[in-house]
Amino acid sequence: MAIPRVVEANFIKSAQSLADSVDDTISEVVFLGRSNVGKSSTINGLTSRKNLAKSSSTPGKTQLINFFDVRYVYDEKDWNIRFVDLPGFGYAKVSKELKEVWQKNLVNFIKHRVSIRVFVHLRDARHPNAQIDRDVEEYIKKFIRGDQLYINVFTKIDKLKMKEKRALKRKFPDSITISNSKRIGYEHIHKRAFEHIFGVKEWLN
Ligand SMILES: Nc1nc2c(ncn2[C@@H]2O[C@H](COP(=O)(O)OP(=O)(O)OP(=O)(O)O)[C@@H](O)[C@H]2O)c(=O)[nH]1
Ligand SMILES: [Mg+2]
């Protein structure tokens, strides 16, 4: 089955808050989740670019809102989407004051940015019931608009045993599971986002 293919991805800008973000004319997919869950790695994996978004084993690597323009080709046509890499929530190693400013900017962005069409909530497959993630899911679902989609994506699936994978799928049947180290699962994110944003109903063979 033909799936949308990323042919180009470019970093556009880092912003501190909604106010200094880029224009809001392109549909956006935002990647949010706890610090170190793999947000930046997932953007790199989806775009097949090693260092497009800066990833690191040290939590708190991404400190700003980063915008990337992504061009897909599907059905011999170009389709444009913007990916947004966000700082992780729950990162504690900065001053309390700085942490509060970050969280305020982040919350304001996800609530009021009109061009967000898809929320990709990345969660660590090893800790599927983390309280902070449950709180974030509940929080987003309180203000999500009718034209926005929320998806649970479990990262680091390579760390699970077969039996654990099956249990995770049973508990979260609508979720997507991926591994950035094994580079698996990306087609499900591409398809789900694309279907929602562009209203694709049937996929080409
Ligand atoms: N085994 C495994 N490691 C992963 C996976 N995804 C990311 N990592 C590793 O996890 C660490 C954090 O990845 P990042 O992509 O920087 O995480 P982030 O969510 O962007 O982190 P912050 O920017 O700090 O919020 C890095 O060492 C990655 O190599 C995965 O699917 N499997
Ligand atoms: Mg990051």
Side-chain angles (χ1 to χ4, degrees):
M1 188 186 292
I3 65 157
R5 193 162 50 88
V6 173
V7 290
E8 198 183 341
N10 294 303
F11 168 73
I12 302 299
K13 182 185 173 154
S14 294
Q16 200 126 39
S17 65
L18 182 62
D20 70 334
S21 293
V22 288
D23 66 274
D24 54 10
T25 53
I26 299 176
S27 294
E28 287 170 339
V29 179
V30 297
F31 296 82
L32 60 138
R34 277 200 289 170
S35 214
N36 212 43
V37 70
K39 297 176 292 299
S40 301
S41 307
T42 301
I43 289 181
N44 291 338
L46 286 167
T47 55
S48 307
R49 291 273 301 274
K50 272 209 175 81
N51 264 315
L52 183 66
K54 304 281 173 287
S55 90
S56 163
S57 55
T58 314
K61 176 69 182 171
T62 309
Q63 305 199 353
L64 294 164
I65 302 168
N66 295 300
F67 297 91
F68 303 91
D69 276 358
V70 179
R71 182 162 63 93
Y72 284 87
V73 168
Y74 177 69
D75 196 13
E76 294 171 15
K77 290 187 274 289
D78 279 351
W79 308 76
N80 297 299
I81 297 184
R82 194 168 272 156
F83 284 179
V84 185
D85 189 15
L86 296 175
F89 45 76
Y91 174 59
K93 279 188 195 150
V94 289
S95 72
K96 192 158 174 264
E97 196 186 344
L98 182 59
K99 195 174 157 190
E100 277 166 15
V101 174
W102 271 1
Q103 303 298 67
K104 226 165 65 204
N105 283 337
L106 212 54
V107 164
N108 189 46
F109 182 84
I110 62 172
K111 254 180 141 165
H112 300 297
R113 176 81 171 165
V114 293
S115 33
I116 298 177
R117 301 292 312 286
V118 182
F119 291 101
V120 175
H121 181 182
L122 298 175
R123 305 165 73 141
D124 190 321
R126 295 167 297 181
H127 311 288
N129 298 309
Q131 189 61 44
I132 179 107
D133 286 312
R134 290 201 292 203
D135 291 348
V136 164
E137 175 168 4
E138 192 187 328
Y139 185 74
I140 292 174
K141 287 184 172 170
K142 274 191 193 142
F143 64 77
I144 194 162
R145 306 187 307 249
D147 70 332
Q148 293 176 322
L149 173 74
Y150 168 94
I151 341 176
N152 273 314
V153 173
F154 289 101
T155 62
K156 311 197 183 185
I157 195 74
D158 51 283
K159 304 270 191 193
L160 296 198
K161 299 194 177 73
M162 194 53 95
K163 206 173 140 199
E164 295 169 319
K165 282 188 220 173
R166 278 201 298 267
L168 185 66
K169 266 290 179 196
R170 247 196 323 271
K171 181 125 199 268
F172 297 87
D174 295 329
S175 68
I176 292 172
T177 50
I178 65 167
S179 165
N180 292 312
S181 51
K182 295 205 166 144
R183 302 190 40 76
I184 51 175
Y186 298 133
E187 69 278 16
H188 303 291
I189 301 180
H190 288 310
K191 284 179 72 180
R192 203 78 82 77
F194 216 78
E195 267 170 2
H196 179 76
I197 293 172
F198 299 116
V200 175
K201 296 232 165 55
E202 276 177 52
W203 293 96
L204 299 170
N205 283 315

